[in-house]
Amino acid sequence: MTRIVIIGGGPGGYEAALVGAQLGAEVTVVDCDGLGGASVLTDCVPSKTLIATAEVMTTFDSSYEELGIVVADDTPHIEQAARVVGVDLGKVNRRVKRLALAQSHDITASVTRAGARVVRGRGKLGGPQGIDGTRDVIVTAADGSETILTADAVLIATGGTPREIPDAMPDGERILNWTQVYDLDELPGELIVVGSGVTGAEFAGAYQALGSRVTLVSSRDRVLPGEDPDAAAVLEDVFRRRGMNVVGRSRAESAKRVGDRVEVTLSDGRVLTGTHCLMAVGAIPNTRNMNLEESGVRLKDSGHIWTDKVSRTSAPGVYAAGDVTGVFALASVAAMQGRIAMYHFLGDAVAPLNLKTVSSNVFTDPEIATVGYTQADVDAGKIDARVVKLPLLRNPRAKMQGIRDGFVKMFCRPGTGIVVGGVVVSPRASELIHPISIAVDNNLTVEQIANAFTVYPSLSGSIAEVARQLHTRKAGEEG
């Protein structure tokens, strides 16, 4: 029987384990924290659970004003501007941890039920490939004891950890990284979020909705510099309108505690003060002390593992998946890389990873979902595409729900009308992007999207309307 050892139990690791076991291999997963990895225990599942509470708060606040909902309370008339609904952050975080642990247990049960074995410990490669084509994996248990596993193939899926700034080291109490925020029992009164990428924007928006006064520090000229510029502009406008202090083109040099407060010093000399600081300045891959280069695995300058489109590394019989590869920091991509690795090594039918069909989502309010080619690709001339953007303000369902911000944007090839990308900015954009994802993945045309029935009224109606406008424009150009 083919022996496969997987180092790391995140989405790349456990999805690979399921596939490997189903295809008849003897699979061992080496993991030290619990299956699900950071995605389940400290990142995606916890953060989106926290955001779910924030979403309810935002919905209530907007409904309270826009939809005429009245809450009877005994707030004195002179204090009517006070917030009627609050949040118990300690209770929220206890729920976050409970759900994350339950999800990890469910994954472990699925993996073991499929026939894979789970070994607790930290794994590393034992050196170059043996004469017989096998590789050793050294597993170090919590008590320091070592076990050697022999494998025909190894998958490395060890993920990443929060990047740290030497002069802004987290202490777990006032200066935090995103794995530590779930230990808070009380809502931060004044939260400074350093970093305006996806993680920073999501937490900034969530804590603002929960009731914190938030300052978001961005080293670039706008929030979410890696996302669609129109989408980022909408979100930044929403942030500012809701009272967030967005400090652009400013880099944090240090963060330190001063009593029960935190001081964040910017590169231009300004000093921001708050009760708490969240450092969201990216992640580094977990590739240190794993004997990778000694075993023939080539690393990039960033420390990520080089892989090809079927997840192979430069070392025979060694594959890699997930954040450790630096390909796309998404659980869905990690899972696909892990599955592809198993399909490839075990001789099953496999399609190389195609990043132009990957859909992703930023869980802010409104959400930002994207798939395929981007506005930056079009502007840079990487692809010739027609673009139509339709504001949600024109959508009847959006008007009924009091949705003011957002749009649907779609990209198609001139002439053929084949859909090559899209952006949705709206509540539940993560759900609305799916029809565009299907179109991109299957080379559907705007005509096909336009001719499909949509419910009236619905937010998805805007997707069909954008497709109709692209089809009409294409037909006009051909005429």
Side-chain angles (χ1 to χ4, degrees):
M1 183 179 288
T2 302
R3 296 163 298 181
I4 294 173
V5 174
I6 298 169
I7 306 175
Y14 74 74
E15 286 286 348
L18 292 172
V19 170
Q22 289 163 0
L23 293 179
E26 178 186 291
V27 179
T28 301
V29 181
V30 179
D31 182 79
C32 59
D33 297 318
L35 293 198
S39 175
V40 169
L41 296 171
T42 60
D43 194 353
C44 291
V45 171
S47 65
K48 278 47 175 181
T49 305
L50 177 74
I51 288 167
T53 300
E55 190 177 78
V56 172
M57 297 289 289
T58 302
T59 301
F60 178 84
D61 280 351
S62 61
S63 300
Y64 193 60
E65 295 288 337
E66 179 77 15
L67 305 186
I69 293 176
V70 176
V71 176
D73 72 344
D74 57 359
T75 304
H77 178 72
I78 196 171
E79 299 175 6
Q80 279 297 315
R83 195 182 184 100
V84 177
V85 176
V87 65
D88 182 339
L89 188 65
K91 188 173 184 179
V92 171
N93 280 339
R94 287 191 292 275
R95 176 175 182 263
V96 165
K97 293 179 180 179
R98 188 171 64 250
L99 289 178
L101 194 59
Q103 181 68 9
S104 178
H105 288 163
D106 287 346
I107 293 168
T108 302
S110 296
V111 168
T112 54
R113 192 164 52 243
R117 180 170 63 123
V118 179
V119 174
R120 283 282 185 163
R122 295 186 179 276
K124 64 181 180 180
L125 295 180
Q129 189 176 43
I131 297 175
D132 59 354
T134 63
R135 284 186 178 272
D136 288 340
V137 173
I138 302 171
V139 181
T140 304
D143 61 5
S145 61
E146 291 187 348
T147 304
I148 296 179
L149 304 175
T150 301
D152 299 299
V154 178
L155 174 70
I156 301 168
T158 47
T161 53
R163 189 169 75 85
E164 296 176 340
I165 297 175
D167 291 329
M169 297 298 289
D171 61 14
E173 295 179 354
R174 295 286 175 175
I175 303 174
L176 311 160
N177 62 38
W178 69 76
T179 72
Q180 298 169 328
V181 294
Y182 311 109
D183 293 326
L184 293 175
D185 288 324
E186 295 183 356
L187 189 69
E190 303 166 66
L191 178 64
I192 302 170
V193 178
V194 177
S196 64
V198 173
T199 300
E202 287 183 347
F203 276 113
Y207 278 104
Q208 182 188 46
L210 294 174
S212 297
R213 291 187 296 278
V214 176
T215 297
L216 179 59
V217 179
S218 172
S219 62
R220 308 289 283 276
D221 57 354
R222 61 180 172 87
V223 301
L224 295 175
E227 298 297 321
D228 180 89
D230 293 333
V234 168
L235 185 65
E236 184 166 337
D237 178 64
V238 170
F239 278 174
R240 293 182 186 276
R241 198 170 66 233
R242 290 175 180 168
M244 187 182 298
N245 178 25
V246 180
V247 182
R249 297 182 182 178
S250 300
R251 188 176 298 275
E253 293 288 342
S254 66
K256 64 179 181 179
R257 289 185 62 164
V258 180
D260 59 355
R261 295 184 67 78
V262 176
E263 290 186 353
V264 176
T265 302
L266 305 182
S267 56
D268 61 8
R270 286 181 294 169
V271 177
L272 306 175
T273 64
T275 59
H276 297 77
C277 175
L278 171 61
M279 302 300 297
V281 289
I284 58 173
N286 294 327
T287 53
R288 297 181 63 183
N289 303 317
M290 290 189 64
N291 284 342
L292 296 179
E293 291 181 300
E294 296 86 344
S295 302
V297 177
R298 179 158 66 90
L299 300 182
K300 303 175 186 177
D301 292 340
S302 60
H304 293 93
I305 298 173
W306 176 90
T307 56
D308 64 11
K309 292 188 177 182
V310 291
S311 303
R312 288 179 296 190
T313 71
S314 57
V318 180
Y319 294 76
D323 291 3
V324 77
T325 68
V327 171
F328 232 153
L330 296 172
S332 58
V333 173
M336 183 63 75
Q337 287 177 297
R339 289 191 291 262
I340 286 173
M342 294 299 100
Y343 293 141
H344 183 268
F345 183 75
L346 295 172
D348 204 52
V350 61
L353 182 67
N354 181 5
L355 295 179
K356 286 306 177 185
T357 63
V358 174
S359 57
S360 62
N361 193 71
V362 183
F363 288 86
T364 48
D365 182 34
E367 293 181 3
I368 299 173
T370 57
V371 65
Y373 284 93
T374 65
Q375 185 71 57
D377 293 330
V378 176
D379 293 343
K382 292 182 180 179
I383 186 170
D384 186 12
R386 304 298 186 200
V387 184
V388 164
K389 184 179 76 170
L390 184 67
L392 283 184
L393 275 173
R394 302 182 190 177
N395 182 288
R397 184 66 181 272
K399 293 176 183 176
M400 296 170 192
Q401 293 182 225
I403 299 171
R404 305 173 183 175
D405 304 293
F407 60 82
V408 174
K409 180 192 287 189
M410 197 178 297
F411 308 90
C412 78
R413 295 285 284 165
T416 63
I418 291 175
V419 179
V420 294
V423 182
V424 179
V425 181
S426 81
R428 295 291 193 275
S430 50
E431 313 293 344
L432 289 171
I433 197 67
H434 192 233
I436 304 178
S437 296
I438 293 174
V440 171
D441 196 41
N442 292 277
N443 295 318
L444 301 184
T445 66
V446 290
E447 181 180 11
Q448 290 171 303
I449 300 299
N451 288 338
F453 278 95
T454 58
V455 172
Y456 182 87
S458 68
L459 295 182
S460 60
S462 288
I463 295 173
E465 178 59 28
V466 166
R468 279 191 288 273
Q469 290 190 20
L470 278 167
H471 175 60
T472 302
R473 180 177 298 183
K474 180 176 74 73
E477 289 169 353
E478 289 174 352

